Amino acid sequence: MKNNNNTHKEKLVSAKKHLGQHFLTDLNISKKIAESLISNTKNILEIGPGMGVLTQFLLESKANVQVCEIDSESVEYLQNNFPQLNGKIIQGDFLKLELEKLFTEQVSIIGNFPYNISSQILFKALDYKELIPELVGMFQKEVAERVVAEHGNKTYGILSVLLQAYYDAEYLFTVHENVFNPPPKVKSAVIRLTRKENTDFINRKLLFSIVKTAFNQRRKKLSNALKSLTIPKSLESHNFLNLRAEQLSVNDFIELTKIWEDGKTKSD
Ligand code: SAH
């Protein structure tokens, strides 16, 4: 938290539970998170900067840094302490931002995210994947584990498959609760998502509906779990259908989607 040669005592932002505010107090960890962005994108958007503990390190890079913060008290703090952010603070709810209007160029996303909306942030990033080459974020450890989980793992699910279809997902490091003020009840972890090349061939809508439907009944074989989607004939005897959702790798799901799409076109 930079002082900006301010002679009066700074008033700190009071932590609001409903906004998921847990302020990071360890500058080494903060720096490590900022350095985890490696793609050198010209634009960086930080979600939920709070009092700028992460922002200050981002501002040391050459990138154009913008921040999105919903809390007016935090926005005021940032305005008073980070003159470099003048005109670069988007005050509002990240989940409501029309990113395509705000960014015409690629933008990487970073944040110590509010945990109450972490999955929604990830799904939103996925909606805008064409715009977002990289995302580094701190999540509750359990969500981070779900994002990077591989098939066969209990935590492997919708979030894992859909994100990993389009991004390489890495679990970077675990963060202990006592480096936050106030400390959260759970451990945290930082992950990095790096967009994959050549994913345009995937029928995204179909992949989403197959994956969501399959995991909604994760104990059932796909032949049963996917019945409501009308399985194309070409797939009926495929071995994938004898498996449960968690037994299929991300590539299996992509292949299944491809065969499904081809089968549908043929029967049309
Ligand atoms: N990055 C800071 C604060 C993390 S706490 C730090 O590491 O110390 C999470 C932050 O996200 C808070 O500042 C909170 O006000 C903000 N936030 C919560 N919901 C938000 C939303 N929907 N859109 C943007 N910011 C949000």
Side-chain angles (χ1 to χ4, degrees):
M1 286 158 251
K2 284 205 172 150
N3 200 309
N4 189 28
N5 295 331
N6 201 335
T7 44
H8 2 271
K9 276 232 157 159
E10 282 178 44
K11 188 175 157 289
L12 300 182
V13 174
S14 55
K16 296 160 206 77
K17 217 176 174 180
H18 71 284
L19 293 179
Q21 290 182 337
H22 297 280
F23 299 111
L24 189 58
T25 54
D26 185 321
L27 291 185
N28 289 322
I29 293 178
S30 176
K31 186 162 188 255
K32 205 166 146 189
I33 299 174
E35 286 169 356
S36 301
L37 268 183
I38 51 175
S39 69
N40 284 325
T41 333
K42 268 201 284 178
N43 298 292
I44 297 176
L45 174 65
E46 184 190 353
I47 303 171
M51 285 182 275
V53 66
L54 184 55
T55 325
Q56 61 186 311
F57 293 106
L58 299 173
L59 287 169
E60 285 174 8
S61 76
K62 291 201 180 77
N64 166 36
V65 178
Q66 282 174 267
V67 301
C68 169
E69 174 57 65
I70 199 168
D71 173 34
S72 53
E73 197 187 347
S74 296
V75 169
E76 200 185 322
Y77 182 95
L78 293 167
Q79 284 166 340
N80 290 339
N81 292 280
F82 294 92
Q84 316 93 297
L85 282 179
N86 192 3
K88 302 195 164 183
I89 303 176
I90 305 162
Q91 182 169 354
D93 181 350
F94 170 71
L95 297 177
K96 298 202 176 126
L97 290 191
E98 295 180 293
L99 294 179
E100 75 283 8
K101 293 193 180 149
L102 293 167
F103 296 96
T104 48
E105 289 176 329
Q106 300 281 294
V107 55
S108 291
I109 291 201
I110 191 163
N112 166 14
F113 297 129
Y115 295 165
N116 47 341
I117 55 166
S118 44
S119 312
Q120 291 170 73
I121 290 176
L122 286 167
F123 280 118
K124 171 141 184 165
L126 201 50
D127 278 344
Y128 282 97
K129 65 179 169 45
E130 279 79 15
L131 210 53
I132 305 171
E134 188 182 20
L135 179 149
V136 165
M138 178 134 65
F139 295 90
Q140 59 201 86
K141 186 165 183 268
E142 183 237 324
V143 172
E145 283 168 350
R146 268 168 39 206
V147 172
V148 303
E150 290 180 20
H151 65 290
N153 192 309
K154 255 201 214 144
T155 54
Y156 182 67
I158 298 172
L159 206 55
S160 338
V161 180
L162 296 182
L163 282 167
Q164 291 175 38
Y166 296 98
Y167 286 90
D168 288 317
E170 298 165 86
Y171 185 101
L172 299 181
F173 52 91
T174 307
V175 181
H176 196 274
E177 49 272 39
N178 65 11
V179 299
F180 298 91
N181 183 24
K185 289 205 178 72
V186 289
K187 288 211 173 356
S188 303
V190 176
I191 60 169
R192 175 168 52 221
L193 301 175
T194 312
R195 192 175 55 204
K196 291 179 176 173
E197 303 290 331
N198 307 323
T199 56
D200 288 349
F201 72 93
I202 303 172
N203 180 330
R204 176 198 167 88
K205 222 174 132 198
L206 187 58
L207 174 74
F208 274 51
S209 87
I210 290 174
V211 171
K212 286 182 179 167
T213 313
F215 279 100
N216 276 340
Q217 304 194 62
R218 61 187 293 150
R219 271 170 239 290
K220 288 195 182 164
K221 283 186 190 174
L222 293 191
S223 52
N224 261 324
L226 295 177
K227 250 188 190 143
S228 62
L229 297 180
T230 327
I231 302 169
K233 279 218 155 38
S234 56
L235 258 171
E236 273 169 5
S237 57
H238 199 289
N239 186 41
F240 284 153
L241 294 193
N242 296 320
L243 303 173
R244 284 174 286 118
E246 65 193 44
Q247 294 175 294
L248 267 72
S249 70
V250 175
N251 282 334
D252 289 342
F253 270 110
I254 293 172
E255 196 185 329
L256 172 67
T257 304
K258 189 89 194 74
I259 305 173
W260 191 301
E261 190 185 15
D262 293 347
K264 250 179 36 188
T265 343
K266 266 183 212 138
S267 65
D268 277 349

